[in-house]
Every structure is written in structure tokens, then in C-alpha cells.
Amino acid sequence: MKTSIFKKWWFWVIIVIVIAAVAFSGGSDSGKQTAADSDTGEVVQEESGNEQSSDEPDVPDVPKEYESALKKAETYSDMMHMSKAGIYNQLISEYGEQFSEEAAQYAMDNLDADYKANALAKAESYQDTMNMSPDAIYDQLISEYGEQFTPEEAQYAIDNLSK
């Protein structure tokens, strides 16, 4: 009996490496531009659109770890279409991102994700690439060793699969 590719440890290592590569390829200059002042010859750094106007309320400082956990959670949701439980577990895993439980919980509390859409995307992937039956897909979607979607999210996915 063949084991699902999603249960292979090497598959997850490759996924983590790909996500890390995508996350780090975004650039590190964070919107700053350097220009020389023509009168004095001094180098001046300018922020491009990151200034807060005085009319906007102050946002409380969020620790960098929390922001990083949220960005990583967004990547897992948007690119890998993972479930809420799957993302949280990946964020805190000693074999995954190794964020603190507090940072991971902050990420989950602030993540704007459509888990039903994620479940449907995963189900379509299983249907198209692995030729799985709807019953097998449902089982994989709700499995604690699989995708960890809720039964409601998995059923939505199955109900909306192309026939």
C-alpha cells in the first residue's frame, strides 16, 4: 500500500525550503531609497510611502517575532492552502518554524484566511494530481496526520469539487 506523499518527511522539508526561499526573495531594502543631495553631496535615505499621518491612530508595537509568524502563516495559507490547525502546528513545530506558542497564536488570531477555500484547493489538488476518490480526499482533509481541516471545511470541499 502506497503512503501519501504528504506523509513523507522529505516532502515537508522541500516545502519548508521552498517557502523560505520565496519569503527571503522579497528583498531586504523595505522601501527605502538612497539619494545624493545635489547641494551637499550627502547621502539621504527616503522612506517611500511608509510614513504614518498624524490623523491615524497609533498602532501598538507588535514584537517582530509575532509579525514574522503572521507573515509565515499568510504564506502557508495563500501558497499551500493549509488548514488553521496545520498552520499553527507548522509555526510551533520543532521541525518547522519554531515560533513561540504566543507568536503562533497571535498569527492565527490575525490571519485573514478562508479555510473552506483552502480545503477546496487541497481537495482539487488531490483529485487532479493523485486521482483520489472523494471519500479518500475527505479522509485526508480531516486526518490528524493529514491536512487537519474541520469536518465542515472538508465537506464544503467535497461538495464543491468538479464532478
Side-chain angles (χ1 to χ4, degrees):
M1 182 173 160
K2 284 189 172 183
T3 306
S4 170
I5 191 169
F6 297 101
K7 293 183 181 177
K8 304 278 187 185
W9 67 267
W10 53 264
F11 174 80
W12 292 107
V13 170
I14 291 170
I15 296 300
V16 169
I17 291 170
V18 168
I19 289 173
V22 169
F24 289 116
S25 69
S28 60
D29 63 349
S30 66
K32 291 185 180 179
Q33 295 178 338
T34 304
D37 185 339
S38 61
D39 294 335
T40 63
E42 292 180 36
V43 175
V44 180
Q45 287 192 349
E46 300 173 354
E47 293 283 337
S48 59
N50 291 338
E51 295 87 14
Q52 240 184 16
S53 72
S54 59
D55 298 336
E56 293 180 25
D58 287 336
V59 177
D61 288 334
V62 176
K64 184 67 177 167
E65 179 190 19
Y66 288 31
E67 291 177 8
S68 297
L70 178 56
K71 286 180 184 178
K72 189 60 78 167
E74 289 168 347
T75 300
Y76 282 124
S77 178
D78 296 343
M79 295 181 69
M80 296 182 63
H81 310 290
M82 292 175 68
S83 67
K84 186 173 187 174
I87 294 170
Y88 179 82
N89 289 337
Q90 187 66 25
L91 291 176
I92 64 168
S93 172
E94 66 179 293
Y95 304 108
E97 302 302 328
Q98 301 179 3
F99 285 108
S100 68
E101 290 183 6
E102 296 79 12
Q105 190 59 54
Y106 171 84
M108 301 318 301
D109 291 344
N110 291 282
L111 179 60
D112 183 22
D114 183 346
Y115 296 109
K116 286 183 178 180
N118 285 0
L120 178 57
K122 277 290 185 184
E124 289 171 341
S125 174
Y126 281 126
Q127 184 181 49
D128 295 342
T129 62
M130 299 183 76
N131 302 310
M132 294 173 68
S133 71
D135 287 342
I137 293 170
Y138 179 86
D139 289 344
Q140 184 68 23
L141 291 177
I142 65 167
S143 171
E144 68 177 295
Y145 303 108
E147 302 300 333
Q148 302 176 338
F149 284 101
T150 66
E152 178 187 2
E153 293 161 348
Q155 191 59 54
Y156 172 84
I158 298 303
D159 291 346
N160 290 282
L161 275 175
S162 59
K163 304 296 179 196

